[in-house]
Amino acid sequence: MKRIAIVGGGTSGLSAAFSLEKYRRTHPAELEYVLYESEPRLGGVLRTEHADGCQIEAGPDSFLTEKPWASDLCRELGIGDQLIGSNDAERKTYILVKGRLIAIPDGLMFMVPTKILPTVFSPLFSVGAKLNMAREWFHPPQKAQADESVSSFVQRHYGPEMVDRLADPLLSGVYGGEAAQLSVRAVLPRFAEMEAKYGSLGRAMLAAKRRMHSGTSKSARPLFTSLKNGMQQMADSLVAQLTATSPLPANKVSGLQFSGGHWRISSARGSSGFDALILAVPTHAAATLVQSSSEQLARELAEIQYTSSITINLGFDGQVRQALPRGFGFLIPRSENKRMLACTFVHTKFPHRAAPDRALLRCFVAGANDEHVLQASDEGIVNVIRAELKDILGLAAEPLFTRVYRWTRAMAQYGVGHLEKLKRIDGLCSQLPGLFLAGNGYRGIGVPDCVLSGADAATNALRYCGVPDVQADPRLSRTRLEYAQHVPDGRQT
C-alpha cells in the first residue's frame, strides 16, 4: 500500500485529497492518504457566516465563471444545482477620481477600449489619456525580450493615467499588490501575446471579439459564479467526501525529513512515513518545511512575496440600500490616498445574500504598504472604513452589524521573473522525489486555480507512486492553456 501526505487543508489541499479519495474508493488496498492542517477548521479562506438576514463571506465571495475547474468540482460533488451567477444586469463598477465616483465606460475590457464613443465621452480619462488610447491603435507588434511589470507594460501602451485609474485598482482587488510589482507574463500572459502578434491591444481585442462572434453563439454567462449557501459550501462538501480518519485538523506539521526515497512527517500527533508528499501551503510555509531537505528550494520558495488583506463587512437597513449608487461597487486608486481599495455592494452583485430590506457592503484593505493596519483593533478598522464611506458615499448611518476578517500573508504576489522562478522550483523539486507543490503561490491565485493545482498535484503523486490504473482527474481535462486567452472584464470589483 502506498501512503501520500497532504500538508494544508485549504482549497488546494482539499482538492488534492478529494482526487486521492476517488482513487482510494476503487483501489482501497492500494492507497492511504492523510491530510494535515494546523488550524482547527478545514477550508482555509472559504468561510461563510450569517448575520441579520445577510450571508457574509470572510474570504472570496465568488470565482470567475470562465475558469471552469471550481464549477466542475461542484458538479462532481453533487452541488452543481447550488451554483449561482452574479446579477450582471446590474453590473456597473465605479472608479474614485478626485473624490468623485465615475463609472467605467461600456466596452472597456480590463483596460482596453473596444468601443470608441463611450470612452471618448467618459469623464474617467483626461484628454491626454484619450489621445494615448488613439495612438495605441498604431502600436507596432513586438515581442519583449524579458519580463516586465504590469505597470511598465500598460504605461508603454496607454500612459501612466491608465495605470493609476484602472490597471492598478483592478489588480489590487485580485492580488492585493501593486501593478508596479506584478509580472505581466505571469499575471496577464494574454496581453503579452497580443502585443507580440498585433502590437495594439485594442486591435487584438477587436480581432478576438470578431472570432467569438463568428463561432457558435452561446448565451451570455455571468462573469462571476458562487454558491447559494456561500463559498464555504464547497469546502464543507469536499470534507464530507473524505475518509473520516484522513483529515487531521489542529495538527501542525513541525518537521519534514526526506531519506531513502521516503518522507517522514513530524507533527503534534507523532511521526509517520509516506511515499509521496503534497505541500499545499503558502510558499513561505513550504520554504520552512523543506529547509532541511533543500536549502536552495527553500530560498526560491521564500522569495515569493505575499501580502495581507482585511475584508470588512457592514450591514445597513433598506434606506441605505435605496440611497446607494446602482452597480457592483467601486475601486479606489492609490493616488486617492484612502485605506480602502475596493467596496462591493453585495446586495446587488448577489441579491440573495441580503434580505430585501438590507444593504450589505464588503470593503477590502490590502497591500505591502498597509501591513501595519493588521495591528489595529476591529473597532479602529471599522471606524476608518466608515469615515471613508462617509467621505465617498455620504454614508453616515450606523451599521446594524460589522464583521472584520484578517488574512495574514495570504495573497501571493507574482513578481517580475515569476515564471522563470517556477522553472527553477520545478527543477529543484525533481531532485526531491515524491515532493509535489500546490497552492496559490505558483500558477494562479483564484479558487478555480487552487482547485486545479490540488488535482494536478494529486494525479502526479499517484503516478509517482506507481499505483495501477491512474488516470488524469477529470478536472484536468480542460487545462489552463485553454483559458489563457480570457481577459478580465474591466467592470468587475
Side-chain angles (χ1 to χ4, degrees), residues 96-132:
L96 186 68
V97 178
K98 298 179 181 178
R100 187 163 64 101
L101 291 178
I102 300 175
I104 295 178
D106 188 34
L108 205 66
M109 300 297 292
F110 189 63
M111 60 187 177
V112 182
T114 60
K115 294 182 180 180
I116 297 175
L117 290 181
T119 304
V120 168
F121 290 107
S122 172
L124 181 60
F125 305 110
S126 67
V127 173
K130 292 171 183 177
L131 288 174
N132 285 336

Side-chain angles (χ1 to χ4, degrees), residues 38 125 365 432:
S38 60
F125 305 110
V365 175
L432 293 172

Side-chain angles (χ1 to χ4, degrees), residues 251-267:
N251 187 32
K252 183 176 182 179
V253 172
S254 56
L256 297 177
Q257 286 185 321
F258 179 68
S259 178
H262 291 80
W263 291 90
R264 179 155 292 277
I265 295 181
S266 300
S267 72

Side-chain angles (χ1 to χ4, degrees), residues 164-487:
D164 175 62
R165 295 189 183 179
L166 273 183
D168 196 61
L170 285 166
L171 291 175
S172 291
V174 179
Y175 291 87
E178 300 181 33
Q181 305 300 323
L182 296 172
S183 157
V184 72
R185 288 183 176 177
V187 174
L188 297 174
R190 183 56 179 152
F191 279 9
E193 294 171 11
M194 287 177 175
E195 182 183 56
K197 184 175 182 180
Y198 292 93
S200 166
L201 303 180
R203 286 189 282 112
M205 281 290 194
L206 284 181
K209 288 181 71 174
R210 284 194 294 269
R211 287 195 300 271
M212 290 172 61
H213 292 156
S214 64
T216 304
S217 61
K218 296 181 180 179
S219 57
R221 294 187 296 171
L223 180 62
F224 299 104
T225 296
S226 191
L227 288 154
K228 288 181 182 178
N229 293 324
M231 293 294 290
Q232 187 176 326
Q233 188 176 5
M234 180 190 294
D236 291 345
S237 298
L238 281 165
V239 174
Q241 293 286 333
L242 306 183
T243 305
T245 57
S246 295
L248 297 176
N251 187 32
K252 183 176 182 179
V253 172
S254 56
L256 297 177
Q257 286 185 321
F258 179 68
S259 178
H262 291 80
W263 291 90
R264 179 155 292 277
I265 295 181
S266 300
S267 72
R269 302 188 191 183
S271 177
S272 189
F274 296 92
D275 298 285
L277 167 65
I278 298 172
L279 289 182
V281 294
T283 61
H284 48 84
T288 300
L289 291 173
V290 303
Q291 178 70 37
S292 61
S293 302
S294 172
E295 292 185 2
Q296 190 175 355
L297 176 59
R299 226 175 6 253
E300 293 283 0
L301 291 170
E303 287 175 357
I304 297 176
Q305 299 298 305
Y306 281 70
T307 60
S308 302
S309 66
I310 306 175
T311 55
I312 306 98
N313 291 266
L314 305 96
F316 297 93
D317 61 22
Q319 287 185 326
V320 169
R321 181 170 180 153
Q322 294 301 317
L324 290 171
R326 296 186 64 179
F328 278 15
F330 58 88
L331 302 168
I332 304 178
R334 297 178 195 277
S335 58
E336 293 292 317
N337 295 316
K338 303 290 186 186
R339 281 283 177 79
M340 187 172 23
L341 294 178
C343 175
T344 300
F345 303 155
V346 179
H347 54 273
T348 301
K349 185 177 180 182
F350 291 107
H352 77 285
R353 288 186 173 165
D357 60 347
R358 293 289 181 263
L360 180 58
L361 273 61
R362 170 184 160 97
C363 303
F364 181 69
V365 175
N369 295 330
D370 214 4
E371 294 283 338
H372 62 280
V373 77
L374 287 168
Q375 309 306 317
S377 66
D378 286 0
E379 181 182 7
I381 292 170
V382 169
N383 287 340
V384 168
I385 295 302
R386 288 191 61 199
E388 294 188 352
L389 289 174
K390 182 178 181 181
D391 185 44
I392 297 168
L393 298 172
L395 177 53
E398 187 79 22
L400 301 174
F401 64 84
T402 62
R403 295 290 188 275
V404 177
Y405 305 96
R406 305 163 198 266
W407 303 107
T408 304
R409 296 184 71 189
M411 304 180 76
Q413 305 295 291
Y414 296 170
V416 176
H418 182 75
L419 298 185
E420 289 74 14
K421 175 175 285 296
L422 292 185
K423 289 180 181 179
R424 296 194 297 272
I425 288 173
D426 289 344
L428 292 166
C429 282
S430 67
Q431 299 174 24
L432 293 172
L435 174 63
F436 304 93
L437 303 175
N440 73 356
Y442 306 102
R443 293 174 173 85
I445 71 168
V447 172
D449 299 295
C450 290
V451 167
L452 179 61
S453 177
D456 193 16
T459 297
N460 289 333
L462 287 169
R463 286 175 173 163
Y464 168 79
C465 288
V467 293
D469 304 322
V470 177
Q471 298 186 12
D473 192 294
R475 286 171 282 164
L476 303 180
S477 62
R478 293 189 283 179
T479 68
R480 285 188 182 89
L481 292 178
E482 295 179 56
Y483 296 88
Q485 296 184 5
H486 173 70
V487 178

